[in-house]
Amino acid sequence: MTLFVLGILTLPAPALGDAPVLELPIDCRMGERCFVQNYVDHDPSPDRRDYTCGRLSYDGHTGTDIRLPDYPAMRQGVAVRAAATGVVRATRDEMDDIDMREADPASLRNRGGGNTVILDHGDGWQTIYAHLRRGSVAVKPGERVEAGQTLALVGLSGLTMFPHVHFEVRHGSTIIDPFIGASGNIAADCHTARTPLWSATAAEALAYHESGGLSAGFAVAPPDPEKTRKGANRADTLGQDADTLAYWVDVLGTLAGDEAWFRIVSPKGIVLSERMTRLTAPNVSWFGFSGVKRPAEGWMPGSYRGVFRLMRDGKPVVEMERRIDIR
């Protein structure tokens, strides 16, 4: 049996051998500048379920998506690293970094993984690193690489709408969730016995977080989510002629019933705006904002604070605060 994965051929595996011990496949501090947005899908139905019974996945997803908060972080350059020692089996490095919604569909046919590196770790074990930045692949087929060696940079190539590395583990044509290990059945109850493949250090860095704050900032008008994610609305200062002061946030992993609280505070500590939105559906990522119009007397010069809290069952699960100076 053969199976095409991310547009590259995967062959059947021999008998199950020792699994590689996996290190963190990205050079970034998890929970601060990198976040797991999607895990392997463990629900055989059209619904989704990650390995904790949470909802950080989508139907049929076969890997772990470690994302950057936005385009500016991608442009700064974040290294993708070999999770274990192995030999480079295949690479691709000519696809543009572009949101799939803006790409020519024909350019993505059978190339959904975009720029990719595949490593062979022996005994049928492979790791796949996809959606890499064009021109960044630093290894060649046949080359031996060590765990922790830079393979490429995080990009936006292939079938993706946000900058991330799709990290996938296979034994032959079998998908292996590294958070469960070879003993786990993808379609089984997510409370199945686990023998994770991660090293202790990687496992600590990859501790499960259902929700997280990706980024936040200010705008002078209702902010467009996609333009903001591409780098708009990041100023540290504004002029006193701004008509509106809007505080925006981009949040990972919201649930139905969550309360999204926004507050804008003046330099004198006066609350200019406070608003709560109760979310009606779960979202892998959620963008929201709240704003206040320029007062009749104009903006007081000084530092304004935007405060955000995502409340769940009466407890804060995400808190973000940003400041902006009006001069």
Side-chain angles (χ1 to χ4, degrees):
M1 174 182 180
T2 60
L3 178 67
F4 279 94
V5 180
L6 304 173
I8 300 175
L9 187 65
T10 297
L11 300 175
L16 192 66
D18 289 338
V21 176
L22 303 177
E23 302 297 338
L24 191 65
I26 192 168
D27 183 18
C28 194
R29 189 175 294 275
M30 298 299 302
E32 294 183 13
R33 294 292 286 170
C34 295
F35 309 81
V36 178
Q37 175 150 329
N38 295 302
Y39 295 87
V40 173
D41 179 26
H42 287 261
D43 192 320
S45 79
D47 201 354
R48 66 184 191 270
R49 183 181 69 212
D50 64 41
Y51 78 101
T52 73
C53 291
R55 298 185 62 77
L56 291 181
S57 188
Y58 59 86
D59 183 35
H61 190 234
T62 58
T64 303
D65 288 346
I66 304 178
R67 69 164 293 163
L68 305 183
D70 47 33
Y71 284 53
M74 179 186 73
R75 289 193 286 268
Q76 289 173 8
V78 176
V80 174
R81 294 185 165 176
T85 297
V87 175
V88 179
R89 178 176 172 186
T91 65
R92 181 192 293 130
D93 191 24
E94 74 278 1
M95 295 181 66
D96 291 335
D97 294 286
I98 185 171
D99 187 317
M100 60 181 283
R101 293 167 292 187
E102 302 171 8
D104 176 2
S107 70
L108 302 178
R109 191 171 298 121
N110 295 324
R111 292 151 62 93
N115 300 319
T116 304
V117 172
I118 297 181
L119 298 185
D120 188 329
H121 305 285
D123 292 329
W125 290 95
Q126 297 176 13
T127 53
I128 301 171
Y129 310 76
H131 307 304
L132 306 174
R133 185 164 151 180
R134 182 175 182 174
S136 75
V137 173
V139 294
K140 297 179 180 179
E143 180 180 345
R144 178 180 172 83
V145 298
E146 301 298 324
Q149 183 173 331
T150 295
L151 303 176
L153 298 178
V154 175
L156 189 72
S157 58
L159 288 171
T160 180
M161 296 183 288
F162 56 93
H164 73 285
V165 59
H166 169 97
F167 175 72
E168 185 170 311
V169 181
R170 287 180 170 262
H171 185 255
S173 59
T174 301
I175 300 295
I176 305 293
D177 186 341
F179 291 87
I180 289 182
S183 62
N185 182 347
I186 295 297
D189 186 317
C190 58
H191 294 299
T192 186
R194 299 172 184 171
T195 54
L197 304 187
W198 301 113
S199 70
T201 301
E204 181 179 4
L206 291 165
Y208 185 88
H209 296 285
E210 191 170 37
S211 306
L214 296 172
S215 55
F218 286 91
V220 296
D224 175 83
E226 295 311 312
K227 290 181 180 178
T228 302
R229 288 164 176 156
K230 289 179 179 179
N233 303 314
R234 307 300 172 103
D236 295 323
T237 61
L238 293 176
Q240 290 182 269
D241 59 346
D243 290 331
T244 302
L245 186 61
Y247 178 52
W248 60 265
V249 299
D250 204 3
V251 180
L252 170 69
T254 62
L255 300 179
D258 284 352
E259 296 178 354
W261 286 87
F262 290 87
R263 178 182 291 178
I264 298 175
V265 184
S266 79
K268 287 190 173 181
I270 299 171
V271 177
L272 302 178
S273 171
E274 187 167 47
R275 180 175 70 88
M276 187 275 283
T277 298
R278 190 181 302 277
L279 306 186
T280 59
N283 292 278
V284 172
S285 60
W286 178 83
F287 185 95
F289 66 91
S290 181
V292 58
K293 290 288 188 181
R294 181 178 59 196
E297 65 275 16
W299 299 111
M300 174 187 299
S303 180
Y304 289 73
R305 286 190 301 129
V307 181
F308 173 79
R309 283 187 176 181
L310 186 72
M311 304 293 292
R312 184 173 300 152
D313 299 325
K315 299 178 181 179
V317 292
V318 176
E319 297 181 273
M320 288 191 285
E321 180 174 317
R322 296 292 185 273
R323 290 179 178 268
I324 194 164
D325 288 335
I326 293 185
R327 298 174 181 173

